[in-house]
Amino acid sequence: MQITFAASADSSTPRLVARIVDQEALPADLSRSDSEGAAAARFTGKTGQLFESFAERDGRVVRQVLVGAGKADAEGRRAALEKAGAALASRYMASGEKALALDVSGGNLDAAEVAAVLTGLRLRTWRYDRYRTKLKDEQKVTLAEAVVIAAPEGTPAAWEVEQAVAAGVELTRELVAEPANVIYPESFVERVSERLEGTGAEIVVLDEKQMRELGMGALLGVSQGSARDARLLCIKWMGGESSAAPTVFVGKGVTFDTGGISLKPPAGMEDMKWDMGGAGAVAGAMLALAGRKAKANVIGVCGLVENMPDGNAMRPGDIVTTMSGQTVEVINTDAEGRLVLCDALWWAQKEFKPAAIVDLATLTGAMVVALGHENAGMFSNDDKLADNLIKAGKESGDKLWRFPLSAEYDKLLDSPIADMKNVGPRYAGSITAAQYLQRFIVEGTAWAHLDIAGMAWADKAGATWGKGATGFGVRLIDRYVRDVLEG
Ligand code: BES
Ligand code: MN
Ligand code: ZN
């Protein structure tokens, strides 16, 4: 989506002209037919509501759209404005219209708010059609340009920042959408490295030999049955004070999860190509932060493996030794995400002494049962970190809901033969998974675990995404960095 700016409308302005209106505050300059038409259509300006009309202006027929942005003082205003932009995109992206004008001369939006509308517009038009070679013309995305009319001062600069974030979300979606024969640990590293080139972010990659020397027996145990080599990808963006400890984001990057020897049933197994959604979000967020030159020290770590059954695969009952020295009895090879994360988390803490560490993972099916597709689950040992993340979630639209941790849940992981098992009993599966991870958090380190199993992929279109990869987590991380680390 190409975005340009113009001071006023002229004969080159696209025929499709949109205005963003606040709820119960329709513009005073509407024609009689528009204001009565809007009332007849029950258009009040609710978030994402649209009202279309045609009119003749200076000898041209224009297609005018009013787009609702909800109440101007509502909580999560930014997310609502993105939704408004997205609703516009969803209606016209494949309509045949190639360009639209966003007329913000009404003056109800400031620069950051206009940029939020543009973000929604751009994110909603994103679609991954790389493998669809037989699309008919009417199925293709046509909307490729938007010209903003009468933008408030500072809008191009605000958009410059937001477009970097949008590029991050798009990278995440692309990584998540790609099948596992295309994106596997090595190619994930390659794709992300290509995209980060020239941004100033520093990349460090550990291969299996290096991870073996470090003692990452849990992560390597998962990888053991795969023909693909595992990788640990580390992306550093040190844009803050050199003395400030970095905040580290760690992503689960299981490029395909068959379940291993504890094989998953066939129905829906193809979904497990997006079991790297946590790592995808971390990589996309790092592109966003580097792209907008964030004034903060942030490091992204992606634990990348493929979980396959094979003659060499890890067996149920095997005991692995993690980098922390703790031993784990692997009861179920399908509880592999935590095995990957425990070594990645430990390495990141030892290497960087982070101010806070946050992991993102499509970790448990139980999380989807609990929260569906509206919130990711959050677990944390630090109330301040938890509150800041929840706030960033509301503001960005990537919402979080906090779950408990306690010694009683932790005990469910005790093993008679090793330091712990990798799974607990049937119930509270998301919590015991989080308890497992907490056993690898160094005393005194602020940590949060985000179980995004229900959020990385959508079976139907949502606020700012179509069917498929959502890019969940990128805007959450970006917002947290802005408000907490740069604020
Ligand atoms: N990647 C899955 C979790 C998952 C399931 C994510 C569905 C998204 C949608 C994870 O590796 C897994 O298999 N978890 C098991 C854990 C169990 C064996 C304790 C699960 O949730 O069934
Ligand atoms: Mn699994
Ligand atoms: Zn998994």
Side-chain angles (χ1 to χ4, degrees), residues 129-432:
D129 286 342
R130 182 171 179 176
Y131 302 110
R132 307 192 3 164
T133 65
K134 295 182 189 297
L135 279 183
K136 298 195 185 76
D137 271 348
E138 65 265 28
Q139 296 173 307
K140 289 183 184 157
V141 173
T142 51
L143 191 62
E145 278 172 53
V147 50
V148 187
I149 312 282
E153 208 187 311
T155 305
W159 174 242
E160 193 54 32
V161 171
E162 297 310 328
Q163 63 83 24
V165 180
V169 174
E170 288 166 356
L171 172 60
T172 301
R173 288 179 179 176
E174 180 182 321
L175 291 165
V176 167
E178 287 281 19
N181 60 332
V182 174
I183 288 293
Y184 44 90
E186 269 185 276
S187 62
F188 183 105
V189 169
E190 268 167 38
R191 182 83 59 102
V192 171
S193 305
E194 274 165 27
R195 293 307 161 79
L196 280 163
E197 216 169 275
T199 61
E202 189 198 333
I203 291 184
V204 177
V205 184
L206 303 188
D207 62 19
E208 289 201 351
K209 182 162 171 282
Q210 291 165 299
M211 291 192 272
R212 198 161 296 117
E213 278 159 13
L214 287 162
M216 297 190 181
L219 185 151
L220 290 171
V222 176
S223 182
Q224 208 172 286
S226 171
R228 310 283 193 193
D229 261 14
R231 290 287 183 273
L232 194 81
L233 166 65
C234 173
I235 308 160
K236 297 187 202 175
W237 173 255
M238 303 299 263
E241 304 274 341
S242 59
S243 61
T247 296
V248 177
F249 294 91
V250 178
K252 169 179 171 181
V254 176
T255 57
F256 197 79
D257 180 14
T258 62
I261 295 299
S262 312
L263 194 61
K264 287 182 180 298
M269 201 202 273
E270 68 280 7
D271 278 352
M272 286 300 108
K273 74 171 183 179
W274 49 263
D275 207 18
M276 34 56 68
V282 168
M286 294 312 296
L287 178 64
L289 296 174
R292 70 171 182 79
K293 309 259 170 282
K295 291 191 172 47
N297 296 334
V298 183
I299 297 175
V301 175
C302 300
L304 302 164
V305 303
E306 185 182 55
N307 187 21
M308 298 289 272
D310 172 87
N312 191 42
M314 191 165 60
R315 291 154 290 257
D318 282 5
I319 296 175
V320 295
T321 302
T322 64
M323 185 184 168
S324 75
Q326 300 179 90
T327 56
V328 180
E329 182 190 9
V330 178
I331 298 295
N332 190 322
T333 64
D334 197 11
E336 85 298 339
R338 63 199 77 181
L339 296 172
V340 174
L341 286 173
C342 72
D343 280 334
L345 283 165
W346 190 262
W347 179 80
Q349 290 169 97
K350 291 294 146 191
E351 192 78 9
F352 304 119
K353 308 272 175 287
I357 189 161
V358 179
D359 70 79
L360 292 91
T362 50
L363 205 61
T364 64
M367 199 76 257
V368 194
V369 173
L371 290 175
H373 307 290
E374 292 303 322
N375 288 271
M378 194 235 310
F379 303 80
S380 180
N381 62 0
D382 186 284
D383 291 343
K384 194 159 160 238
L385 174 61
D387 289 347
N388 283 332
L389 284 167
I390 284 177
K391 220 179 280 167
K394 280 186 182 153
E395 196 57 32
S396 66
D398 287 351
K399 289 168 285 164
L400 303 175
W401 191 264
R402 191 174 181 183
F403 279 75
L405 291 165
S406 77
E408 293 79 6
Y409 290 116
D410 186 69
K411 216 178 144 19
L412 299 173
L413 292 170
D414 289 347
S415 157
I417 186 170
D419 295 335
M420 70 196 87
K421 303 185 285 189
N422 76 328
V423 296
R426 175 151 174 246
Y427 295 117
S430 303
I431 303 177
T432 49

